[in-house]
Amino acid sequence: MELLVLMIGLVVIGIPVAFIVALIRTRDEVQRLGTRIERLEYLESREPVTTVPAAFDASAESAVPAWPAMTPPPVAQDVAARPPAPARSHASLEQLIGGVWLQNVGSVLVLVGVFLMILWGYNTHRVGPMALVASGIGLGLALAWRGDRIARTVPPFGHSLIGVGIGVVYLTLYLGHVRLGVLPAWAAFVSLVAVSLASVLAGQHYRVRQIASLGVIGAYLPFMMAAWLPLAGLWTSAAGLLAYLAIVNGFVFVMAVRAGWSGLDVSALLLGTLAWIWSFHSATWGWGIQAGLCLLFTLLGFAPLPRLVGVEGRVRPVDLAAITLAPLCLVAASWPFLAHTERVPIAMLLMVLAIVQLSAALWVDSQRPERDLWRPLTAAAILFLAAALERALGTDRAPLAWCL
């Protein structure tokens, strides 16, 4: 029965995948043929037109020479030499929806399906925990390997498969430690570090952020699914979750610094905040965990700065979004701790964060003439300063703190 289910699953998954690959290859071939036809038409339009000389009139007293070929005016020459403007494709929106958006949605659905399949096999006791972990890792590696082969002919689809494979390995390792109990803590930690390093190398090799994005989604998928599914025993301690976030966001930080992938940085900030909020609804951690949270979110917010200070002109909105969201996500994740811990230590912590943000703003201002990075950094410093004053003066003097 299990073999029959496995064969049916392979057929159900394999037929759509083969159909999508064939469809994308056909589309690329049609596009290549269209480009060649446009090129040939352009070259044909540029062929010089030969002028026929005037006929020799034998009855005339002398031969009337033909007028020399008129050279076209400079404007006509410029128009003839100018390459044709690229034709607008009426199918661009269709290609964007079908080739990018639906492909990403399908990749996420594959990750969800693998997640539910592992839980189904564990809860029904049809497959052993060790077999689930081994098959999940094998499936992820097989998808990554197949994606590397397909990327040579159909790059977008191959890159999606590589990202899905990394996400499947993330899911399997995390569930193997937290839910299935197969991997000890040290083995899960080392394995996740290795997968993070592989994600960095894959992103740098293919220069495609979609691979890293799907890997990040796969890493955070258990926390998203557990918000709607009754998964008892899925969550770890605060220290374990902080270590997990540090591992996952380590390669996000590297790619944001080196490759400028601020969009991936924004995704990691939002997903990490949601994972922490859904995991802990009260202040169940101490000052060590809070210091780690502050360091993690601050580094993610500062990740685009080393690259942006050397860029002339205005920066992209996604870079500003990463810098602006980092302090807000830190406050949202730390809210139970900030609200229920003693006021004076919290005020000191917020004051330190304000000084850190202001120091970064002063450093950026000394390196960059534009003020586009100065504004979000000083805004974060003012936010932390106001919160520190409110904590220091107490709730009955909050208006005075805001005035200051």
Side-chain angles (χ1 to χ4, degrees):
M1 185 62 184
E2 294 178 359
L3 181 60
L4 180 61
V5 171
L6 179 61
M7 294 177 62
I8 294 175
L10 292 176
V11 172
V12 171
I13 295 176
I15 291 178
V17 170
F19 176 75
I20 292 174
V21 172
L23 184 62
I24 294 177
R25 287 180 176 176
T26 305
R27 183 199 65 184
D28 293 343
E29 186 66 26
V30 171
Q31 290 179 349
R32 284 194 293 268
L33 290 176
T35 303
R36 293 182 61 185
I37 292 174
E38 292 179 359
R39 180 63 179 172
L40 291 175
E41 291 177 351
Y42 168 63
L43 294 177
E44 183 180 0
S45 64
R46 292 193 59 185
E47 291 182 356
V49 179
T50 58
T51 58
V52 181
F56 182 82
D57 190 357
S59 62
E61 296 180 357
S62 61
V64 180
W67 287 95
M70 298 293 293
T71 60
V75 176
Q77 289 180 353
D78 294 341
V79 173
R82 188 182 306 163
R88 293 185 178 181
S89 176
H90 297 284
S92 58
L93 181 60
E94 179 182 352
Q95 293 177 0
L96 179 63
I97 296 176
V100 179
W101 294 351
L102 292 182
Q103 182 172 271
N104 294 337
V105 171
S107 302
V108 175
L109 291 178
V110 171
L111 293 174
V112 174
V114 173
F115 177 80
L116 296 177
M117 182 65 71
I118 293 176
L119 293 181
W120 172 82
Y122 178 74
N123 293 330
T124 57
H125 303 288
R126 294 179 178 270
V127 184
M130 185 64 71
L132 286 173
V133 173
S135 31
I137 295 176
L139 176 62
L141 295 178
L143 288 174
W145 171 81
R146 188 57 184 167
D148 177 72
R149 295 299 183 269
I150 295 178
R152 302 175 182 179
T153 54
V154 190
F157 186 66
H159 298 156
S160 297
L161 286 181
I162 295 174
V164 170
I166 295 175
V168 168
V169 175
Y170 261 122
L171 280 174
T172 305
L173 293 175
Y174 182 79
L175 292 177
H177 169 61
V178 177
R179 181 69 172 175
L180 306 181
V182 174
L183 298 176
W186 66 269
F189 184 84
V190 173
S191 302
L192 291 173
V193 170
V195 175
S196 298
L197 180 60
S199 302
V200 175
L201 297 178
Q204 291 180 345
H205 176 71
Y206 296 99
R207 299 182 183 274
V208 177
R209 70 187 65 185
Q210 185 181 11
I211 297 175
S213 300
L214 291 174
V216 170
I217 293 176
Y220 285 108
L221 188 61
F223 305 96
M224 302 176 190
M225 297 300 297
W228 295 281
L229 298 176
L231 301 177
L234 183 62
W235 308 124
T236 62
S237 62
L241 181 55
L242 179 61
Y244 182 77
L245 294 180
I247 294 172
V248 175
N249 293 322
F251 82 93
V252 175
F253 177 80
V254 172
M255 299 310 296
V257 172
R258 299 193 59 182
W261 291 0
S262 298
L264 185 64
D265 194 2
V266 171
S267 302
L269 283 170
L270 295 177
L271 294 176
T273 303
L274 292 178
W276 192 271
I277 292 175
W278 288 340
S279 301
F280 307 105
H281 304 284
S282 59
T284 57
W285 63 90
W287 278 100
I289 302 299
Q290 183 59 40
L293 276 179
C294 295
L295 180 62
L296 176 63
F297 282 94
T298 302
L299 289 178
L300 287 178
F302 289 168
L305 294 182
R307 182 183 55 87
L308 295 178
V309 293
V311 176
E312 297 182 357
R314 301 189 65 85
V315 300
R316 300 174 301 172
V318 67
D319 297 322
L320 297 178
I323 299 172
T324 306
L325 284 176
L328 299 178
C329 291
L330 173 60
V331 172
S334 307
W335 186 257
F337 187 84
L338 299 177
H340 297 92
T341 311
E342 296 182 2
R343 295 188 295 106
V344 175
I346 292 297
M348 296 173 63
L349 173 64
L350 295 174
M351 188 64 69
V352 170
L353 292 175
I355 294 174
V356 170
Q357 295 288 334
L358 182 59
S359 301
L362 294 174
W363 174 72
V364 169
D365 188 59
S366 65
Q367 302 291 327
R368 181 178 174 84
E370 292 84 358
R371 288 297 180 92
D372 45 6
L373 297 179
W374 165 270
R375 295 188 184 98
L377 292 172
T378 52
I382 294 173
L383 172 66
F384 287 129
L385 176 61
L389 292 174
E390 192 275 337
R391 288 282 84 191
L393 297 178
T395 56
D396 54 341
R397 298 182 181 179
L400 177 59
W402 284 109
C403 290
L404 293 174

